[in-house]
Amino acid sequence: MAWHVVIAGGGFGGLYAARRLERNLPRQSAQITLVTDVNFMLYTPLLPGAASGTLEPRHVVVPLREELHRTDIRLGRVTGADPALSELMFEGLDGHEERIRYDQLVVALGSVSRVLPIPGLAEHGLGFKTISEAIALRNRALLNLELAETLDDPAARDEYLTFVFVGGGYAGLEGIAELQDYVADVIERYPRCRLQGTRWILVEALDRVMTETPPSLSEFATRELRGRGIEIRTGTRVNAVGAHSVTLSTGEEVPCRMVCWTAGVKPSPVVRQLGLPLNDGGRIEVDETMRVRGHENVWAIGDCAAVPDPAKGGEAPCPPTAQHAIRQGRLVADNVAATLGHGRVKPFRYKTLGLFVDMGRHKAVATMLGIKLRGFIAWWAARTYHVAMIPGAGRRLRLIVDWTVGLMFGRASAELGQLGHPPSLNGYLETPRPDVEREGSA
Ligand SMILES: Cc1cc2nc3c(=O)[nH]c(=O)nc-3n(C[C@H](O)[C@H](O)[C@H](O)COP(=O)(O)OP(=O)(O)OC[C@H]3O[C@@H](n4cnc5c(N)ncnc54)[C@H](O)[C@@H]3O)c2cc1C
């Protein structure tokens, strides 16, 4: 009988684990099933490019069926697990509930935005973690320009032309830099807005941005963004978010209509329903081979798992990054195969090689193998790295084409919020004409 290996989550960790398992496990000896709620992997490092209209959203996702050839992909939402019975529960697309038995389970359910209980934040803030949020950001920025253009009162226009990002990690930095660059590009088409100008604020609670990079790079990024007119408020928190303003811990009330929240992530809430041990941060506790503590046949990787970080002597969990999730995905596949008789179980040894933060306008900051890069060379290295890393030759080519066309012809300013939400046909329903009805019934 073939072993059944089940993977929960089809992001970086899940996709790379499935790809490696397809290679490691002989076809007749194992069945691989991937349960995931969307049929693509989102290549998040390129999300700011999609939010700023530089990249076509379809080009920053990797369809799972193009990459996996013998994995049974089951679209659905994981709802729980019973490790004692070795069963995973999920709700299929049509709402039916299903339990599947596994011999080996790999949990790779990722993370969600960590939303603090700040008054008004959940109602008025926008996240920046999914493709729909990236598109919503771009659309909201365009709608703000459209609305501001219709207003006679400059003070009222100001609200629409002020954009606030909260969280000075790489997502927040790349997000604000790329979106500001985009708005600067398209504002030429909005004469009133162009004359008034826009205001951009990045709020960070710590005393510097990008604490994951050396202070010199963080200083470079701060100088660069300040030079573009972005206000960087470090040591500041957001106390409240309203429909028309944001209140900062300094007491200042900033009139604005768009607040983007990028202040951290937490493990997907469903990991609490899996009956597995969790650490204080809610991540699944695993040993250095990524096996869940106390569960011989369950493994966990990526943002939802507390894999001991070799760079910190195993004392702290690995940071939630794609580069860790990819390496953990590959190694967990080797370890699962080893448990099933193909090879030897090994500990996770990967240490961060580097980090890129793309700031748009041909500038970035980067650390690579201990070398610090900034400016154009870092930007070029970042693009080259992502083109090399994203799976699929066709997708790589599409990215290059998107970037080149954007450089030559600028970016589109169509607001496509209606995409995927077609009007109901009810709105066009013909009302029967009484005379025609009478004729028909005669
Ligand atoms: C804007 C942004 C930029 C980033 N840039 C970088 C970068 O430049 N470099 C870097 O290394 N990292 C970057 N990251 C971090 C990186 O995206 C994550 O660390 C990485 O995605 C983690 O991989 P994962 O497999 O754990 O989770 P994910 O890739 O998030 O995959 C989890 C998968 O599980 C699915 N899922 C979740 N819940 C369920 C459920 N209940 N049922 C079924 N499926 C479910 C999700 O839909 C998803 O497909 C960035 C993140 C963001 C938000």
Side-chain angles (χ1 to χ4, degrees):
M1 202 191 67
W3 300 108
H4 191 195
V5 182
V6 174
I7 302 167
F12 279 98
L15 170 62
Y16 280 82
R19 277 211 322 195
R20 187 78 149 230
L21 280 167
E22 288 192 354
R23 225 183 59 194
N24 281 355
L25 292 175
R27 196 176 277 271
Q28 65 287 358
S29 78
Q31 180 195 340
I32 307 162
T33 302
L34 174 65
V35 183
T36 183
D37 55 358
V38 286
N39 75 351
F40 56 81
M41 179 197 91
L42 173 61
Y43 194 91
T44 46
L46 296 178
L47 204 55
S52 63
T54 315
L55 298 173
E56 171 63 37
R58 280 174 301 118
H59 300 166
V60 303
V61 300
V62 179
L64 296 174
R65 288 185 191 277
E66 284 179 23
E67 295 301 315
L68 299 173
H69 306 297
R70 53 171 275 231
T71 299
D72 182 16
I73 298 172
R74 306 289 297 273
L75 268 199
R77 193 173 55 85
V78 172
T79 51
D82 187 340
L85 295 176
S86 292
E87 284 183 349
L88 181 78
M89 282 85 95
F90 73 96
E91 186 187 288
L93 279 188
D94 56 1
H96 81 278
E97 308 253 329
E98 208 173 317
R99 298 172 84 96
I100 41 173
R101 250 197 65 76
Y102 56 80
D103 294 300
Q104 299 287 325
L105 173 67
V106 177
V107 182
L109 289 163
S111 56
V112 295
S113 297
R114 185 172 54 100
V115 183
L116 301 181
I118 294 172
L121 172 63
E123 292 89 325
H124 306 295
L126 278 173
F128 188 37
K129 180 95 178 66
T130 63
I131 191 77
S132 56
E133 288 169 333
I135 308 308
L137 271 181
R138 176 181 174 279
N139 287 335
R140 179 76 72 85
L142 283 172
L143 267 187
N144 279 9
L145 292 180
E146 292 293 348
L147 285 161
E149 196 61 23
T150 63
L151 298 172
D152 294 324
D153 174 14
R157 266 205 302 272
D158 241 356
E159 251 178 46
Y160 288 95
L161 296 176
T162 302
F163 303 86
V164 176
F165 275 65
V166 191
Y170 51 78
L173 232 81
E174 288 188 344
I176 197 167
E178 291 267 12
L179 203 66
Q180 190 222 26
D181 192 27
Y182 172 61
V183 168
D185 242 18
V186 298
I187 206 164
E188 289 301 312
R189 300 163 205 166
Y190 299 86
R192 275 178 162 177
C193 297
R194 179 167 49 83
L195 280 181
Q196 187 150 341
T198 52
R199 182 179 182 197
W200 297 80
I201 304 173
L202 179 68
V203 181
E204 166 56 53
L206 299 178
D207 60 358
R208 72 175 174 100
V209 295
M210 281 187 350
T211 43
E212 54 282 71
T213 63
S216 59
L217 290 184
S218 151
E219 276 158 30
F220 174 79
T222 307
R223 254 199 329 273
E224 172 63 31
L225 296 184
R226 284 198 171 132
R228 296 180 194 178
I230 295 177
E231 297 169 37
I232 300 193
R233 309 285 187 88
T234 48
T236 309
R237 293 170 188 276
V238 165
N239 281 353
V241 182
H244 301 216
S245 68
V246 165
T247 311
L248 304 181
S249 54
T250 53
E252 189 184 349
E253 192 170 331
V254 180
C256 84
R257 292 276 182 154
M258 198 187 100
V259 178
C260 179
W261 179 257
T262 65
V265 295
K266 64 176 182 188
S268 288
V270 68
V271 302
R272 278 190 253 124
Q273 313 301 324
L274 302 182
L276 301 174
L278 305 180
N279 75 358
D280 291 346
R283 293 170 90 177
I284 301 169
E285 281 190 10
V286 297
D287 63 19
E288 69 280 6
T289 68
M290 292 165 292
R291 200 190 295 261
V292 178
R293 293 196 193 278
H295 297 267
E296 274 301 295
N297 63 343
V298 186
W299 311 76
I301 57 172
D303 287 9
C304 73
V307 180
D309 187 356
K312 298 200 181 103
E315 295 299 313
C318 290
T321 73
Q323 50 178 304
H324 285 86
I326 290 173
R327 271 76 179 191
Q328 289 166 8
R330 290 186 189 132
L331 184 67
V332 87
D334 291 348
N335 286 350
V336 166
T339 309
L340 300 179
H342 304 270
R344 199 166 51 83
V345 174
K346 294 190 203 115
F348 184 66
R349 290 268 174 255
Y350 174 77
K351 293 184 186 164
T352 309
L353 292 179
L355 178 86
F356 297 106
V357 182
D358 190 337
M359 296 188 298
R361 298 196 193 169
H362 307 123
K363 291 211 174 117
V365 292
T367 52
M368 274 165 40
L369 303 165
I371 303 166
K372 291 183 256 175
L373 299 176
R374 53 194 209 193
F376 178 79
I377 179 93
W379 174 85
W380 184 82
R383 294 230 159 156
T384 311
Y385 174 80
H386 291 310
V387 167
M389 283 304 287
I390 198 163
R395 207 159 297 106
R396 291 184 191 129
L397 192 59
R398 287 190 180 107
L399 290 180
I400 294 170
V401 169
D402 279 357
W403 280 321
T404 315
V405 170
L407 272 180
M408 284 159 48
F409 300 105
R411 289 169 279 187
S413 54
E415 192 280 309
L416 295 177
Q418 52 183 286
L419 268 193
H421 307 285
S424 159
L425 282 183
N426 265 327
Y428 314 122
L429 203 60
E430 295 274 327
T431 36
R433 279 175 33 209
D435 49 329
V436 172
E437 213 174 285
R438 244 181 280 120
E439 275 167 28
S441 57

